[in-house]
Amino acid sequence: MRAVRLSVVTAAATAATLAAVTGCTEKSTAETDDHVVAVTATDTKCEVSKKEFPAGHVELAVENKGSKVTEVYLLFPDDRIVTERENIGPGTSQKVTAEVKAGDYRIACKPGMKGKGIRQDVTATGSGKVAKRDPRLDKAVADYRAYAQAQADETLPKAKVFAAAVKDGDIEAAKKAYADSRIGWERTEPVAESFGDIDPKVDLREDGLEDGQDPEKDWTGWHRLERSLWQDKKLTDRDSELADQLITDLTDWQKRVGKAEITPTSMANGAKELLDEVATGKVTGEEERYSHTDLVDFKANVEGAEKSYELLKTVASENDAALTKELDKQFAALNTLLDKYRPNKDSYEFTSYDKVGKADRKELSDAVNALAEPLSKLAAAVVVK
């Protein structure tokens, strides 16, 4: 679920990971490179070094000078997300690379990672087209879109089995179908933001609701039904309505995949953001707090991120061979670790997460963080030099 993150990587850990990208270097680069926009975030401001930059590849060089953890977004005017970076601790810096066409955009900083953020209007100038890119990257985007479409196509019938069980009032059958119905969605989460408002409709947790929203009226999707099945242990007419709504929303998702705005850098950035979410909101057990099927989501997320990486790897390895070597190593290590909780490697059955102890959760978190750090450099490695 990518609409809200409830936990934060500690500032100390983030600072250690990001020590190589301090603010002074970023500011000087922003002054000499038209494609770099320095973003200075505080608890009350979001300052940008320039309001116009050439279309093509843009780098946001973000420095958090506030006292709160922040997020920085590059948005289309209608609030669709071009790229984002979350969990930027106080006193730390991060670089985010994106690919943009000529047009109007907004840069938003979200102190405390809440609300709509402090916004600055910016413009990408040029002919309306991005700079020519390696045709292998165009193929990577096409292949990832085909992958996402296949996941959506495979998810819908599984979700219908789940929804039918809910509508029949068969709690045990619905529980059995629940995790399996989510795998395809979780695999496509690296580009979930490109599907518009589908994510909060189908994958929102209760504490992700906006102020003023009513959990009984405004909360929809898998996790609302998860609560009914495992915590409430009963199914009502409202649950039947929610099951129908879930199928409607997933059908909408299936249709949107072909039109989604996907770029090589959005694939790379999305994979990194997803791994951050796994480390801060899924390893903790917050995602599947009632069903404890977290490891199913976890594995599907890693598969989706790895698919994105594998499609970008050929170009990335030419620009940064050391990076792809490290990514190969860390993906393999994380998959090996996850297999400890998977008795049958040919199935998607994992240990119930409430049976995974604190030390083991820490081991999983460390493995995800070890992967997320080099993954943060993948977007820059696919930019044409």
Side-chain angles (χ1 to χ4, degrees), residues 298-375:
F298 198 150
K299 178 64 175 178
N301 286 162
V302 173
E303 287 177 341
E306 189 168 16
K307 180 68 173 181
S308 178
Y309 163 60
E310 289 292 343
L311 291 171
L312 299 170
K313 180 179 175 180
T314 299
V315 173
S317 64
E318 291 179 3
N319 290 332
D320 194 339
L323 175 64
T324 55
K325 182 178 180 181
E326 181 66 14
L327 285 168
D328 287 342
K329 174 185 173 182
Q330 296 301 340
F331 267 116
L334 181 53
N335 280 315
T336 297
L337 183 57
L338 283 170
D339 281 345
K340 286 175 51 178
Y341 305 96
R342 190 181 188 184
N344 181 353
K345 304 305 183 290
D346 295 324
S347 79
Y348 236 82
E349 293 183 7
F350 285 83
T351 302
S352 180
Y353 204 57
D354 57 336
K355 294 180 171 58
V356 177
K358 185 176 180 180
D360 290 330
R361 293 188 184 198
K362 175 65 165 53
E363 185 181 27
L364 286 165
S365 180
D366 289 346
V368 173
N369 285 327
L371 171 58
E373 193 280 325
L375 201 56

Side-chain angles (χ1 to χ4, degrees), residues 36-157:
V36 177
V37 179
V39 181
T40 304
T42 70
D43 295 346
T44 58
K45 296 181 180 179
C46 184
E47 298 177 340
V48 297
S49 62
K50 54 178 69 83
K51 295 277 185 93
E52 292 189 357
F53 47 85
H57 289 99
V58 59
E59 178 186 293
L60 303 184
V62 183
E63 183 179 9
N64 183 2
K65 291 187 174 182
S67 63
K68 301 176 182 178
V69 174
T70 196
E71 303 171 346
V72 172
Y73 290 75
L74 179 61
L75 303 167
F76 290 105
D78 61 2
D79 276 7
R80 285 179 297 130
I81 296 172
V82 179
T83 192
E84 63 182 306
R85 186 57 49 87
E86 301 179 347
N87 290 320
I88 305 173
T92 66
S93 302
Q94 292 202 26
K95 294 179 180 179
V96 191
T97 302
E99 185 175 330
V100 296
K101 297 178 181 179
D104 295 328
Y105 298 88
R106 291 179 179 136
I107 292 174
C109 306
K110 295 186 179 182
M113 303 201 301
K114 294 181 179 179
K116 290 186 173 294
I118 305 161
R119 301 181 172 208
Q120 294 279 5
D121 291 335
V122 295
T123 301
T125 60
S127 64
K129 297 181 180 180
V130 299
K132 184 178 180 181
R133 67 186 179 205
D134 191 316
R136 292 174 296 177
L137 294 177
D138 289 325
K139 185 176 186 304
V141 170
D143 288 349
Y144 197 86
R145 190 185 301 279
Y147 171 78
Q149 188 67 65
Q151 295 305 313
D153 294 345
E154 293 169 12
T155 293
L156 201 55

Side-chain angles (χ1 to χ4, degrees), residues 38 52 87 100 116 176 188 199 203 210 278 284 316 338 360:
E52 292 189 357
N87 290 320
V100 296
K116 290 186 173 294
K176 185 177 180 179
T188 65
D199 188 1
D203 202 25
E210 299 287 342
V278 170
T284 59
L338 283 170
D360 290 330

Side-chain angles (χ1 to χ4, degrees), residues 149-177:
Q149 188 67 65
Q151 295 305 313
D153 294 345
E154 293 169 12
T155 293
L156 201 55
K158 294 178 179 180
K160 287 180 178 178
V161 170
F162 171 64
V166 170
K167 291 170 66 67
D168 288 344
D170 191 335
I171 290 177
E172 292 308 312
K175 284 182 176 181
K176 185 177 180 179

